[in-house]
């Protein structure tokens, strides 16, 4: 009997760790931009820009780790120090990192720094920060390009993107992979 009670208590405890549909929706992306970051100075400038902006919005703070090096720097042919830096910047709401507001990294594709902004639990609160951040990013890096956000809040794979005069679009041949209609504005030839 004790084993059954312990198992039931464990199940109840684990069920509280499962994110609710609202929590999952809060993590959906609503905006994303690729920023042409060239060196350590650009990475530091971006971290300072976002930190300064977050400090002017109640409840936001930035964690940054732009100086992290590659996992195995001893490998032969390793890139030089600036190439090994992986900019990791996260914007959080709450003292205990309660809600992810946005992030910046090049983990999905080297030399492509993507800033992503999440919907949040209260989208209108996050919109002010997001709009100000995007404006400052575009002002500092005018060659930054918008990334298409999928209807369900995800991003396409870098290999499926095509540069257009309006920013990135998804290659039309990949429409089915993203459940997009052939006439979607997110697609291009």
């Amino acid at each position: 009997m004790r084993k059954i009670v312990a198992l039931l208590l464990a199940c109840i405890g684990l069920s509280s760790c499962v994110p609710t549909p609202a929590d999952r929706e809060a993590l959906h992306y609503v905006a994303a931009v690729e920023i042409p970051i060239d060196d350590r100075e650009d990475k530091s400038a971006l971290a300072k820009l976002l930190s300064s902006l977050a400090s002017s919005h109640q409840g936001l703070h930035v964690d940054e780790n732009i100086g992290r090096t590659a996992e195995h720097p001893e490998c032969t042919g390793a890139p030089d120090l600036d190439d090994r830096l992986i900019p990791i910047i996260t914007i959080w709401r709450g003292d205990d990192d309660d809600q992810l507001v946005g992030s910046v990294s090049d983990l999905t594709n080297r030399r492509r720094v993507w800033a992503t902004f999440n919907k949040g639990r209260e989208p209108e609160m996050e919109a002010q920060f997001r709009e100000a951040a995007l404006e400052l990013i575009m002002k500092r890096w005018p060659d930054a390009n918008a990334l298409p956000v999928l209807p369900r809040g995800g991003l396409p794979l870098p290999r499926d993107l095509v540069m257009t005069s309006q920013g990135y679009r998804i290659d039309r041949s990949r429409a089915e992979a993203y459940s997009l209609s052939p006439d979607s504005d997110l697609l291009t030839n």
Side-chain angles (χ1 to χ4, degrees), residues 18-31 91-93 97-103 116-123 126 149-150 152-155:
V18 176
T20 66
D23 289 337
R24 286 192 299 271
E25 187 175 336
L27 291 174
H28 287 183
Y29 299 126
V30 292
I91 303 106
W92 299 97
R93 180 167 298 287
D97 296 350
D98 299 324
Q99 180 67 45
L100 180 64
V101 173
S103 64
T116 56
F117 298 91
N118 302 82
K119 182 176 184 177
R121 289 186 187 132
E122 297 181 45
E126 310 314 347
V149 176
L150 298 168
R152 292 188 176 167
L155 294 176

Side-chain angles (χ1 to χ4, degrees), residues 21-43:
D23 289 337
R24 286 192 299 271
E25 187 175 336
L27 291 174
H28 287 183
Y29 299 126
V30 292
V33 64
E34 182 178 273
I35 308 167
I37 299 291
D38 293 321
D39 55 26
R40 182 188 306 263
E41 291 163 9
D42 274 349
K43 293 170 187 175

